[in-house]
Amino acid sequence: MSQNNLASLRRACVGVKVGSITIGGGAPVVVQSMTNTDTANDIATAEQVSQLARAGSELVRITVNSSEAAKAVPVIRQRLDDMGCHVPLIGDFHFNGHKLLTAHPECAQALAKFRINPGNVGKGKKRDEQFATLIETACKYDKPIRIGVNWGSLDQEMLARIMDENAKSSDPQDASYVMREALITSALESAAKAEEIGLPRDHIVLSCKVSGVQDLIMVYRELASRCDYALHLGLTEAGMGSKGIVASTAALAVLLQEGIGDTIRISLTPEPGGSRAREVVVAQEILQTMGLRAFVPLVAACPGCGRTTSTYFQELAESIQAYVRDEMVVWREQYEGVENMSLAVMGCVVNGPGESKHANVGISLPGSGESPVAPVYVDGEKTVTLKGDNIAGEFRQIVENYVREKYPRKAG
């Protein structure tokens, strides 16, 4: 299916403006991420937000869980603006958001969006009062809200009510169905209540997050069929490394293919010492490999076999992939359409020349026992054969020249 056809399948929903970014309403699927710094440390948080934004995160969420964190938010916003980083900030509130936003109006003003969880806003009468305070604050400062329901923190009163209704039904469903229905009901009833209080429909984003792939798919299919709010997708705890990447891809790819989802986050557990920006890269790669968006030139590379006992092609593919991602920080500011460029780094003559011809710029390295030459193809035509010890540097220069010659410079 082509990119245009896939985009045409997108579910119709209300668009929500978050700073300069639009979620839903036919806009491209938005990538977002979340910091893991102590928000009260404004220097560390601003640095991590900037890192995530440079990696391509279009929205960044920060924890606001204390007065110190709330006081730091406008400082963080100013630090980012001084750095030339204007990515919208989302405040993540749990338990005490109503108090923090009331006590620190400058925090509310500095944020582009609030995220609240109806499962921990409060209990009984306090829940309604505290929920209303959050919504009224959003209305006062004209801020959108994500109502984010999570199966690890469901409203227990609502869950008990739905369990009771299910038990009395002539055709009671299993426990997993009850849990999914509770998630959806919590989101929809909270959104309806927010609208009653005065928050416009185009200021509401919904999410119903779980950790299981099949549960997530079933929840969002049902949620999408019952509302036209913009939807945020993501497994609530995807996990670490390949498990988290595979689980997130398996769940989100199915929903995105069906036109469900307007913004995504990949909730990866960072490996010790690993970059928080990894979750941004994975989100971009899901969208780009599906043909929904383009962020950075993709590098095709063969997996290797007995013909490629040298690791040189692997090292070159890795270095080229890192090179184009680093260069995109500059290229996206200077050139139109460079994110659509395709590259190929192939390891032998079986598929190497053919794959290289299909890419905008491709190189076919010699396999074991083959002549030590590497033909380079540009837009399907062989242009040069590289030899010697500086093949990597010469190939990078060819790519750099292609960008300068083929993509128009942006105005201004």
Side-chain angles (χ1 to χ4, degrees):
M1 183 178 292
S2 71
Q3 182 173 344
N4 288 338
N5 288 339
L6 185 56
S8 70
L9 294 178
R10 289 282 303 282
R11 160 183 167 270
C13 69
V14 176
V16 179
K17 289 286 289 183
V18 183
S20 59
I21 302 295
T22 299
I23 298 174
V29 180
V30 175
V31 171
Q32 60 179 279
S33 58
M34 186 175 183
T35 60
N36 61 357
T37 55
D38 179 358
T39 305
N41 185 337
D42 58 90
I43 295 176
T45 302
E47 288 177 351
Q48 191 174 77
V49 170
S50 178
Q51 177 196 27
L52 292 167
R54 286 197 304 273
S57 187
E58 295 159 301
L59 300 172
V60 178
R61 184 157 43 111
I62 59 177
T63 297
V64 187
N65 59 341
S66 65
S67 289
E68 292 74 19
K71 290 176 183 176
V73 169
V75 180
I76 293 166
R77 179 71 272 166
Q78 188 60 56
R79 284 188 180 279
L80 290 167
D81 289 342
D82 291 344
M83 295 162 63
C85 177
H86 304 298
V87 64
L89 293 177
I90 303 168
D92 194 60
F93 296 97
H94 296 278
F95 306 108
N96 59 354
H98 59 291
K99 293 181 179 179
L100 295 176
L101 288 170
T102 300
H104 302 283
E106 66 282 1
C107 171
Q109 291 175 316
L111 293 168
K113 178 166 159 272
F114 309 155
R115 186 267 172 148
I116 63 173
N117 182 341
N120 58 35
V121 168
K123 296 182 180 179
K125 291 183 178 179
K126 285 188 176 181
R127 178 192 183 283
D128 292 341
E129 294 171 3
Q130 290 164 189
F131 181 83
T133 297
L134 289 165
I135 301 303
E136 288 165 358
T137 303
C139 293
K140 179 179 180 180
Y141 296 104
D142 193 28
K143 305 294 182 179
I145 281 185
R146 171 159 71 93
I147 297 173
V149 185
N150 191 303
W151 74 345
S153 52
L154 266 172
D155 180 343
Q156 294 302 300
E157 292 180 10
M158 174 174 291
L159 180 58
R161 186 189 87 204
I162 293 175
M163 289 175 65
D164 185 55
E165 292 172 354
N166 182 65
K168 294 177 181 178
S169 169
S170 59
D171 183 24
Q173 304 296 311
D174 61 19
S176 61
Y177 168 85
V178 173
M179 180 67 75
R180 294 194 299 271
E181 185 61 25
L183 285 161
I184 295 165
T185 300
S186 178
L188 295 178
E189 289 187 357
S190 297
K193 189 171 294 184
E195 287 197 65
E196 289 175 12
I197 294 169
L199 190 66
R201 198 173 190 82
D202 63 0
H203 280 50
I204 298 172
V205 179
L206 298 186
S207 67
C208 290
K209 288 194 172 184
V210 300
S211 295
V213 170
Q214 295 298 337
D215 284 312
L216 191 85
I217 292 169
M218 286 188 281
V219 164
Y220 273 91
R221 280 174 173 166
E222 182 65 19
L223 179 63
S225 73
R226 289 161 62 173
C227 74
D228 64 353
Y229 295 109
L231 300 181
H232 169 88
L233 298 187
L235 290 171
T236 186
E237 286 98 17
M240 181 179 284
S242 61
K243 183 271 176 184
I245 294 171
V246 170
S248 295
T249 304
L252 270 58
V254 171
L255 292 167
L256 291 167
Q257 185 73 19
E258 295 176 3
I260 299 170
D262 304 291
T263 178
I264 65 172
R265 185 208 169 190
I266 308 302
S267 300
L268 293 180
T269 303
E271 296 177 0
S275 172
R276 189 68 166 178
R278 181 63 176 147
E279 66 177 51
V280 179
V281 174
V282 173
Q284 290 181 328
E285 288 177 345
I286 290 172
L287 294 174
Q288 186 153 356
T289 54
M290 290 187 69
L292 285 167
R293 291 191 65 183
F295 298 95
V296 65
L298 291 180
V299 180
C302 69
C305 65
R307 298 178 65 95
T308 57
T309 54
S310 168
T311 61
Y312 187 80
F313 86 94
Q314 298 165 323
E315 294 162 1
L316 179 59
E318 183 179 45
S319 70
I320 291 297
Q321 191 157 281
Y323 163 74
V324 295
R325 187 163 281 280
D326 289 342
E327 289 299 307
M328 272 303 293
V329 175
V330 176
W331 287 347
R332 71 166 57 98
E333 298 297 325
Q334 296 182 347
Y335 300 100
E336 294 282 356
V338 68
E339 65 276 5
N340 295 302
M341 180 173 61
S342 61
L343 305 173
V345 178
M346 305 304 294
C348 78
V349 298
V350 174
N351 292 318
E355 286 284 353
S356 296
K357 290 177 183 178
H358 290 312
N360 293 127
V361 185
I363 185 170
S364 180
L365 295 164
S368 305
E370 294 166 7
S371 300
V373 296
V376 175
Y377 299 84
V378 175
D379 289 333
E381 299 294 330
K382 181 179 174 181
T383 58
V384 67
T385 298
L386 303 182
K387 303 177 183 179
D389 298 328
N390 192 34
I391 288 177
E394 292 176 12
F395 185 67
R396 283 196 296 270
Q397 188 59 56
I398 291 170
V399 173
E400 182 70 37
N401 292 342
Y402 185 88
V403 170
R404 287 201 304 264
E405 295 169 4
K406 295 291 183 177
Y407 296 99
R409 282 192 170 270
K410 291 184 176 180

